Amino acid sequence: MAPVPTSEGKFGVLTLPYSTAKIAYHFYDAPQRDLPVIMLSNALSSNFKTLWKEFVEHFRDSYAIILYDQRFHGESPLSEHFDYYGKGLTFEELADDAAAILDHLGIARIHAFVGLSMGATTAVVFKARHSGRVGKIVVAGSGLKSAPAGAEDVFEARIKIATDGPDGMAKLAPLTLDRWFPGEPGKKFLNEHPSRRDEFLAMLSDAKPEGFVACIRALQNFDLTPSFAKIKERGDSKDVLLVAGAMDGPLPDVNKSMAKLSDAELVIIQESGHMVNVQKAGEFNVVVDKFIA
């Protein structure tokens, strides 16, 4: 498999106009092409160089693609002037960051926004807040809302590991990988694709704990119900595709409820965990291709 190319298109680091935070992006496009644009949004602790290889390889000839690393992830550096980490981020901020990248690139509207996990939640909020700037959204592996008050908060245990010394993220990496690629199908995939397994472990180990904590705060305090209501009120439910891996914990059932709430289309991909775009890349890409065509 070819790596995500870095010699084509435009790579840069944008200082957000309303913040000191910086966002690394790669607008992957060949010169003199006038193609519809897809924007990709990453999962927690991931980076665009690793997460979307299969997707870019499939779509690169038919679409221009914007990849970016959320605040304090991947190539996006830590803040020099303001402590966002304890305060945390919100999905409204993360959605507006995506809009700022489009402003910076001079792109008024994109054809599709495809998000995975945290990036999928961002896609819904983006569609609700910036409806005129995006056609279709693909929401892969998102929940509807954070855990209610009093419920077990699995994120705090992960934060404790991640912030436990300089190798905290490295300690967390194999636990995250097992959760992302669960069960025998997950083990089989990782065993049959050792280079991807090693890339994911390296990506997770190298993730910045500050970015991890900042974005977990968003995951601990969100509810997509109002965003779905706005999308539905505008008559845009047909522009939303929900995708869930059948082995991704409670998310298949949660997404069934989300589909009823939003009138969105739902596809559940069998024998896949959280990383549906990687573990079942062929099936995922065909589903997305058909939806955004």
Side-chain angles (χ1 to χ4, degrees):
M1 179 191 305
V4 174
T6 56
S7 58
E8 280 189 272
K10 179 180 181 181
F11 178 85
V13 179
L14 162 68
T15 300
L16 295 169
Y18 42 80
S19 166
T20 59
K22 298 178 180 181
I23 301 290
Y25 66 88
H26 181 195
F27 184 24
Y28 171 58
D29 192 14
Q32 286 78 53
R33 296 200 306 177
D34 185 18
L35 297 175
V37 179
I38 300 173
M39 190 172 215
L40 304 179
S41 191
N42 305 342
L44 181 69
S45 298
S46 67
N47 61 60
F48 69 72
K49 290 183 178 179
T50 301
L51 190 63
W52 297 104
K53 284 189 174 183
E54 294 86 352
F55 188 97
V56 170
E57 183 66 18
H58 180 88
F59 287 93
R60 58 191 286 183
D61 293 329
S62 302
Y63 293 89
I65 301 172
I66 301 171
L67 307 104
Y68 71 98
D69 286 329
Q70 288 104 329
R71 297 192 201 191
F72 325 128
H73 279 67
E75 297 296 321
S76 295
L78 296 176
S79 172
E80 298 174 356
H81 303 293
F82 190 82
D83 179 17
Y84 289 97
Y85 317 127
K87 169 178 172 278
L89 295 167
T90 68
F91 280 107
E92 288 75 18
E93 289 175 304
L94 294 171
D96 290 350
D97 290 353
I101 296 170
L102 299 184
D103 291 341
H104 177 71
L105 293 172
I107 297 172
R109 181 179 172 88
I110 56 175
H111 181 70
F113 192 120
V114 180
L116 178 71
S117 191
M118 179 177 78
T121 312
T122 303
V124 177
V125 178
F126 184 90
K127 179 71 171 174
R129 289 172 71 84
H130 305 282
S131 61
R133 306 202 67 173
V134 61
K136 298 188 175 183
I137 63 171
V138 178
V139 183
S142 175
L144 177 62
K145 61 179 70 175
S146 51
E152 180 184 5
D153 189 341
V154 297
F155 288 120
E156 288 301 329
R158 296 171 194 169
I159 288 174
K160 185 175 181 180
I161 297 172
T163 55
D164 183 21
D167 60 346
M169 294 302 295
K171 293 175 184 175
L172 190 62
L175 304 177
T176 303
L177 197 68
D178 288 345
R179 191 174 66 255
W180 281 359
F181 296 91
E184 289 304 316
K187 291 178 182 178
K188 184 173 184 289
F189 174 85
L190 294 174
N191 287 335
E192 292 178 352
H193 301 84
S195 63
R196 289 300 269 150
R197 177 195 63 212
D198 293 346
E199 287 171 348
F200 266 75
L201 280 172
M203 174 186 74
L204 292 166
S205 297
D206 293 341
K208 304 176 184 70
E210 297 92 343
F212 179 76
V213 173
C215 287
I216 275 185
R217 298 308 180 204
L219 290 164
Q220 289 175 315
N221 187 30
F222 81 96
D223 185 351
L224 292 181
T225 306
S227 292
F228 277 126
K230 286 183 181 180
I231 293 169
K232 189 174 181 179
E233 287 168 6
R234 293 178 183 136
D236 290 341
S237 296
K238 64 184 184 305
D239 296 331
V240 181
L241 172 66
L242 306 174
V243 181
M247 301 182 67
D248 194 6
L251 284 186
D253 288 337
V254 171
N255 273 250
K256 290 175 184 176
S257 298
M258 289 164 62
K260 291 179 180 178
L261 173 72
S262 63
D263 289 339
E265 182 181 347
L266 169 63
V267 174
I268 295 179
I269 296 181
Q270 300 302 313
E271 295 192 338
S272 180
H274 201 49
M275 296 287 112
V276 288
N277 65 311
V278 178
Q279 188 175 351
K280 291 290 183 177
E283 187 173 347
F284 179 80
N285 291 338
V286 168
V287 166
V288 173
D289 216 347
K290 180 180 177 182
F291 179 71
I292 69 174

